[in-house]
Amino acid sequence: MKEYQPISYMQTDVTGGFWQRKQALIRDVTIFSVRDRFADTGRFRAFKFDWTEGSDIPKPHFFWDSDIAKWLESAAYLLQKAPNAELEAQVEEVIDDIEAHQDETGYFNIFHTVAEPENRFRIRDHHELYCLGHLIEAAVAYFEATGRDRFLRILDRYIDYVIRVFTVERSAGFQTPGHEEIELALIRLYRLRGDKKYLDLAMFFLNKRGNTDEGLTDWANGSYNQSHLPVRRQRTAEGHCVRACYLYSAMADAAKETGDEDLLDACRALFRDIAERKMYVTGGIGSSHCGEAFTIPYDLPNDTAYNETCASIALSMFADRMKLIDLDSKYADVVELELYNGALAGLSLDGKSFFYENPLEINLADHTRHTSVNDHDRLPITQRLEVFDCSCCPPNVTRYFASIGGSLYSASDDAILVHQFMESTADVNGAAIRMETNYPLDGRVRLTLQGARGKQLLVRVPGWCQSFSFSAPYTMQRGYAATEVPADDFTLEIDFAMEPLFLAAHPAVRADAGRLALQYGPIVYCLEAVDNGDPLSALTVDVKGEAVAAYDPFFGANVITLPGFRAASDLLYAPPGQTRQTPVSVRFIPYYGFANRGESDMTVWFRPAASK
Amino acid sequence: MKEYQPISYMQTDVTGGFWQRKQALIRDVTIFSVRDRFADTGRFRAFKFDWTEGSDIPKPHFFWDSDIAKWLESAAYLLQKAPNAELEAQVEEVIDDIEAHQDETGYFNIFHTVAEPENRFRIRDHHELYCLGHLIEAAVAYFEATGRDRFLRILDRYIDYVIRVFTVERSAGFQTPGHEEIELALIRLYRLRGDKKYLDLAMFFLNKRGNTDEGLTDWANGSYNQSHLPVRRQRTAEGHCVRACYLYSAMADAAKETGDEDLLDACRALFRDIAERKMYVTGGIGSSHCGEAFTIPYDLPNDTAYNETCASIALSMFADRMKLIDLDSKYADVVELELYNGALAGLSLDGKSFFYENPLEINLADHTRHTSVNDHDRLPITQRLEVFDCSCCPPNVTRYFASIGGSLYSASDDAILVHQFMESTADVNGAAIRMETNYPLDGRVRLTLQGARGKQLLVRVPGWCQSFSFSAPYTMQRGYAATEVPADDFTLEIDFAMEPLFLAAHPAVRADAGRLALQYGPIVYCLEAVDNGDPLSALTVDVKGEAVAAYDPFFGANVITLPGFRAASDLLYAPPGQTRQTPVSVRFIPYYGFANRGESDMTVWFRPAASK
């Protein structure tokens, strides 16, 4: 079960290209923009614990601890790569605040200290353990960045208190948290510190979930927060997508640590249910705003898609963990899908604004279409915002992209696995690896390895890739091209042929029937009316026409043009031959770049022109 | 302006075929089923005026008077064709009740007498004048059936009271009714009795509408009930569809009676806005349940379509009036569309149950798809019901189909116009006409006229008809084939070629992009999963394949089969070439017959198979 070890973001450096630019944006712009909006909204101030009823500062929300915790974690990842006194001082100040306001029991929670102390550990959905989980992740990252363990020690006291309240005294008002996160955080801490009490507490929460009555009277018989069945018996992804994938991530971690085959089988089934039945072509998950949740298989409406940015990140986390258990390129394929699409769409190109929901289609008129009455269906917003009331996504974006180096490699005793492709350097268990590539602009990758002689080198062949060249003899192993490293100094040249890949959805996906999506390399494309005119429904694309891919600095990636047609008619209904078709050039932009040039209709799924 | 006179249902008899069967169903089944459900729910009992707070009989609703009024009107149409002592006695009993409970002022309204007397004429949306309008229509029809004017005399006292309160004392709490109907009813009464006070009161309400402040603080600045602009300045169809089309019907009537060109121009523009931008291919109107309303042009979603049965009837009423003003077959085309599709779908094949909403697509899974949470969008029901809380549609269906003979002909001094095709006999201003046809099973029509020598005979060529034969020389006049009747005895043979007609929607209708609808003769078709399997989105139809039309007694019309394909795939996303296509026979049933064999997915708009 422990065959593959992760290679941490600490062991890798993204040194150029697409992802170096994105990481620089996170480091130079996004981290500070999120900080400033969190300051504006009172989230940092809340750590002073000076809110009282009637005071003129904003009342803390019970999830604010976690918003700042994810920001701290993000800052730590940046500090691990480069010193920044301003960031470090701000992190230390928050740690000071936490230390100052931790109570004698070890407990720390802003809302349930200043606003509702009587409800400490009484309301299952009040996110105390979720907040603790994120604080743990921040403390681990900060320790990794600085070697200082004050934050960890503070939280250790809190964890001891949680162990006592939940597992010994059993005095809490619930047995498992309404929003998962603590479980994966505890296992992460266990891996850092080796103290089994952390793993035991994680397993306590995992084993209790779905084995109690709690949650069963909540929405959908407990499936909203995955409390409907014991976790080992869960086979279909249900409920709130972020909660679900944080849970599944913890289950994968636990399976890896304990060798629990039942847990692992559940993880495998859950991943399949998502990736084969419930995932948008962009990697988005959450077909409904209602419960921010999975729905039934193949139910993937485009315009009302919820697809929370955090859910894409959470699915990437789950997939990234599964690749450490089973050799199968489908896991890293999903990570790649999120990196370039589902998760990346959550961030504006200028690095300052965020989508909470990421639809695959925008029809602006729908937002005002009830000219007679103003009660249209709930639709995702059409422009990114700098901060939300529920602003979980912005600091999730920063921590995710600040640490993506950790998704590049994994290793076993005799193998090095290459999962993602970025201009980078890495130390993989003593082997020095240099990866040179313009990916995702083209598919050429040069890998130079030093000190890996005799090891198996497994390089993922991306799922989108229809043909590739490999400069060494290789065999295919579950989606990976495998070759033995023949020398201490070894250079491998790979070329994944990039060409337009048209995708059709499963016939049961009604929203996509008769439509295609365009992928070019790892990037999924979309059409915006700002390029292609209104209405987008009148466009068809000649998929057999000549596709031209050209680098566009605004998007930082290729933009693709294809010939197509725009339909026009004078009649509401007429035989199809009476519709006029005007040849047009159709411009596809990367999906992650939509809504960066003002409000516009947008669609990922377009109609192919009828064959001649 | 008075060029064309209507030829009343009293002058025509439907003697066989499709419509004779439907009228027999109304006469033998539906009228009694509606009556019994209205009795069950206390609607007849309410006319005893014995409800009091705390009593154990149902509290009357403020629109119950109108429900029974439409039932009385329906019964009158049936009595005009054939005696029925049971029906007649029941009508007389209700008239007795009305007479007994009319107060000394002349006022009659159940709710505002027994429940809220203090709010008499104070609440604009409480339907008192709407109820009066329907009572007037019932009284006119009953007079036409029996020659007895007691009911008319009762209402005349009420109308005098309305004239006094609204136009003299101006003591009512509003100036125009929230739900139109009184206007067209008063003009109908004016045409029967010739007393100008009825026309004047109708014109009072029409002229006031949109010229006051009232309604402007309601939904959508008064457009919900067409109070946003003076009626002569209205150019786009807005708001609640039934209210709108009852208003437009009255405007057309008023324009015809007064020669008011501004009013007529408004009617023409409103009709175009509906028929060219806001009408479903079935004739349904009302794109949104929200406000039961029109929305913006080309916004015609299929699964959430509201398409109230009453709205189809109301649009048919409007169109049927417009054909008396302008010679243009587009008006009778819309009437035909409603007869066979939009309105007829509202009635079950067994004559007992009704749809209030008539969607063009049903996806059953959407009704339960939030397996995680139970708050799905509002969707139309999927099976007809015998009665509703708001049960306006059932008695509207009965009165509409019981009187459809009135839609067949119109006339001018020197012309006879044939608008609809049914096996029937008629007396058109002294000319005896016999129409023999199997329409809509085929397009052959034989017209035999006696006593029409020298008149122009204008026969509508249906909009769906691509070619036809006509046994006499003819010229085309705005969609009508015109010939001079050469002899006292004249027989004309017409054959409208019926073949599958595939229709595409305007490219701006997003819901229908890439899809086609099938019409065969006047009947629009649909696919049901009960015939074609799930999911319907996986089907494509070879529109160039051989279509077989075969009479199906269950539906009473042709069922059409075409070759097609069912797609299948093992993958959620894959290049389109990897989708397997299995040849299948696709079975289309008349749209009006959907949901008569249990719950089933259904769609009107299907995808054509890719050309080979």
Side-chain angles (χ1 to χ4, degrees), chain B residues 44-66:
Chain B
F44 281 101
R45 173 65 181 266
F47 281 75
K48 305 299 181 191
F49 279 57
D50 55 358
W51 179 86
T52 53
E53 197 66 56
S55 68
D56 60 359
I57 61 172
K59 181 176 181 177
H61 195 283
F62 58 69
F63 52 58
W64 278 11
D65 312 42
S66 72

Side-chain angles (χ1 to χ4, degrees), chain A residues 371-387:
Chain A
T371 51
S372 57
V373 278
N374 188 21
D375 174 30
H376 49 73
D377 298 330
R378 177 152 191 271
L379 292 165
I381 60 172
T382 57
Q383 291 285 276
R384 293 174 185 82
L385 299 175
E386 294 197 11
V387 68

